[in-house]
Amino acid sequence: MAKVTVRANGPYLVEGAEIRDANGAVFPVEPGKPVALCRCGASQRKPFCDGSHLKIGFQAAETAASFTAK
Ligand code: FES
């Protein structure tokens, strides 16, 4: 089963999943290694995180405890 971890003020860390583009093509990633997907919008190598969230001071406060399903 895939696991996605929301990193504090950083990317989504994805483990155990294929990452596909809008056409269904699989991004080449190292098998078995987690990948970090950008959620700040500043990465120059989307959909992957390149560390730019640190440069722009990306802040996010989401936690499972504060989430309310709609
Ligand atoms: S979350 Fe790292 S560059 Fe966007």
Side-chain angles (χ1 to χ4, degrees):
M1 175 167 63
K3 176 180 171 186
V4 179
T5 303
V6 180
R7 302 292 303 269
N9 301 321
Y12 297 112
L13 192 63
V14 179
E15 301 169 77
E18 287 183 333
I19 309 300
R20 295 180 179 263
D21 69 13
N23 297 315
V26 176
F27 283 94
V29 296
E30 204 168 321
K33 288 192 77 172
V35 295
L37 298 181
C38 178
R39 74 174 166 134
C40 76
S43 176
Q44 296 301 303
R45 49 182 300 266
K46 293 180 187 87
F48 302 102
C49 170
D50 68 357
S52 293
H53 59 274
L54 296 170
K55 295 179 197 152
I56 67 168
F58 179 64
Q59 296 286 307
E62 303 94 339
T63 66
S66 65
F67 181 78
T68 302
K70 294 183 180 178

